[in-house]
Amino acid sequence: MTASATSVCASASTAVYPTFTSYVRARGPVLQRTARSLTSNPCDAEDLLQTALTKTYLAWERIEDHRALDGYVRRALVNTRTSQWRKRKVEEFPYEELPERESAAAPDPAEQQALRDAMWRAVRRLPDRQRAMVVLRYYEDLTEVQTAELLGVSVGTVKSAVSRALGKLREDPELACAA
């Protein structure tokens, strides 16, 4: 018993497509897979296929044997990909020495310490309840809910007391001079 050798895609290789659109509709997924195998990125594969199909469309009238369209498009895919590879720009340039980074002027540690001291003095001048809420909220980094639970007050009380305390700190003359 002899098995006849049949092509897996016999209908694709012998089909004649009356229009370019019918060819793209019929063979698009196969050509997309071919383009994907030539690139490392699905978006680049789509661009590559579109470019190859554009070249095929422009040559459609000159292609005599429409049974060889797959070969024509594959050759256009490979040639286009090779041209893209050859034209790529190199964005990196080797140097003997690395350039030094421009560093922003570092703040003076003495000025930073003076500002911290002025801030603590201003916080100490707040009423006890506001001071406790500001310290818990901003120095201990607790949430409003956690601060309210810890002090045994409502969340609204924490919000309003912290708001008033921040207003007093903004108006503090010593902080205005230090900043």
Side-chain angles (χ1 to χ4, degrees):
M1 198 174 190
T2 60
S4 62
T6 58
S7 173
V8 175
C9 293
S11 62
S13 62
T14 59
V16 176
Y17 300 97
T19 65
F20 176 76
T21 305
S22 64
Y23 171 73
V24 173
R25 281 192 184 127
R27 302 299 294 159
V30 173
L31 297 171
Q32 180 65 34
R33 282 193 301 272
T34 303
R36 180 64 177 97
S37 69
L38 294 172
T39 64
S40 60
N41 182 340
C43 296
D44 290 342
E46 289 177 12
D47 292 343
L48 177 63
L49 180 59
Q50 287 301 315
T51 302
L53 288 175
T54 300
K55 290 177 180 181
T56 305
Y57 178 76
L58 293 174
W60 186 259
E61 297 299 323
R62 295 190 318 262
I63 300 173
E64 295 175 11
D65 186 7
H66 280 207
R67 292 176 297 195
L69 281 170
D70 281 355
Y72 184 92
V73 175
R74 282 192 193 100
R75 175 53 46 197
L77 283 167
V78 170
N79 289 348
T80 302
R81 182 65 184 143
T82 303
S83 294
Q84 290 172 345
W85 178 79
R86 287 180 179 158
K87 292 178 184 176
R88 76 170 193 232
K89 291 183 178 181
V90 177
E91 299 291 330
E92 297 178 8
F93 301 100
Y95 285 97
E96 296 278 331
E97 293 181 31
L98 292 175
E100 294 296 324
R101 288 187 177 179
E102 293 182 24
S103 60
D108 183 14
E111 289 179 11
Q112 287 181 325
Q113 186 60 46
L115 183 58
R116 272 194 295 271
D117 290 343
M119 178 59 82
W120 271 113
R121 283 191 300 274
V123 168
R124 276 192 228 123
R125 285 192 294 272
L126 291 173
D128 291 340
R129 187 173 178 176
Q130 288 179 357
R131 181 175 56 241
M133 291 182 191
V134 167
V135 168
L136 290 173
R137 283 285 293 127
Y138 297 104
Y139 287 96
E140 296 296 323
D141 203 26
L142 297 181
T143 64
E144 292 167 341
V145 173
Q146 292 169 329
T147 303
E149 287 175 3
L150 191 62
L151 295 176
V153 296
S154 70
V155 175
T157 301
V158 172
K159 288 181 180 183
S160 62
V162 168
S163 176
R164 283 192 300 275
L166 292 177
K168 287 181 182 180
L169 291 174
R170 281 188 205 100
E171 296 171 359
D172 190 285
E174 188 179 345
L175 284 178
C177 293

